[in-house]
Amino acid sequence: MLEMKKTVALAPCLFCGKVNRVDMARVADLPKCSECGRPIRLDRPIRVTDQDLEKVVAESEVPVLVDFYADWCGPCKMMAPILDELAHDHAGRVLVAKLDTDSNPTMAVKYAIRGIPTLIVFREGREAARHSGVLPKAALEKLLEEADHRINAP
């Protein structure tokens, strides 16, 4: 299991787009957006864009797993329920995000996304692990653990 010492993450509001600082230890309390007051649900993947991905990754103190996907992609659709389950099971310890590469090509180019789905785990603002293609949940959890070990290694 991942060992989490820090608890702050940045999460954009699904409704108004405002990026909020969220105490991950209080995810079960259903944090609300500071702008519009609507709930920020972190027990499911959040949507990120070209405008907020780098800020979310850089300023979140928990691992951020980003799924680079497209709506038309069959394998991406296969990953969706796995990511939903992972976000639910790791709520408060991992931030799971999705970036639509068709609508947000700048970040897809920046991170050299050559195929989708591509999953990147960020820790402390840096890429810690990457995988292209569909993964079962157990392999995805192993990818998160490997990223944790790479960042914490001397």
Side-chain angles (χ1 to χ4, degrees):
M1 186 62 60
L2 296 171
E3 181 181 319
M4 294 293 110
K5 296 177 182 111
K6 300 176 182 177
T7 61
V8 175
L10 267 64
C13 175
L14 177 65
F15 302 100
C16 72
K18 166 83 172 160
V19 178
N20 294 267
R21 288 180 58 83
V22 178
D23 180 352
M24 295 295 275
R26 300 191 62 200
V27 167
D29 297 338
L30 296 177
K32 295 190 178 358
C33 175
S34 63
E35 184 84 14
C36 70
R38 308 280 297 266
I40 300 172
R41 301 291 307 262
L42 299 178
D43 60 343
R44 60 198 65 186
I46 61 167
R47 289 195 180 131
V48 290
T49 66
D50 282 344
Q51 290 72 39
D52 55 30
L53 174 65
E54 288 183 309
K55 182 176 179 117
V56 168
V57 165
E59 297 182 31
S60 292
E61 297 171 341
V62 295
V64 180
L65 170 65
V66 181
D67 172 27
F68 292 82
Y69 79 100
D71 287 331
W72 52 262
C73 168
C76 299
K77 291 178 183 179
M78 292 171 55
M79 279 302 303
I82 297 167
L83 291 166
D84 290 346
E85 188 177 342
L86 186 88
H88 181 268
D89 292 351
H90 292 277
R93 297 187 312 270
V94 174
L95 185 64
V96 179
K98 296 177 73 74
L99 183 127
D100 180 348
T101 57
D102 286 340
S103 301
N104 301 281
T106 302
M107 290 298 110
V109 170
K110 177 176 180 168
Y111 290 104
I113 305 302
R114 303 284 184 251
I116 51 175
T118 292
L119 304 161
I120 301 179
V121 180
F122 294 92
R123 290 289 317 261
E124 300 173 7
R126 297 180 289 158
E127 182 176 329
R130 174 188 289 240
H131 178 83
S132 291
V134 176
L135 277 178
K137 184 179 172 201
L140 195 49
E141 287 176 333
K142 185 173 180 176
L143 186 72
L144 284 168
E145 287 180 21
E146 288 171 5
D148 192 44
H149 293 302
R150 281 190 201 124
I151 291 295
N152 293 323

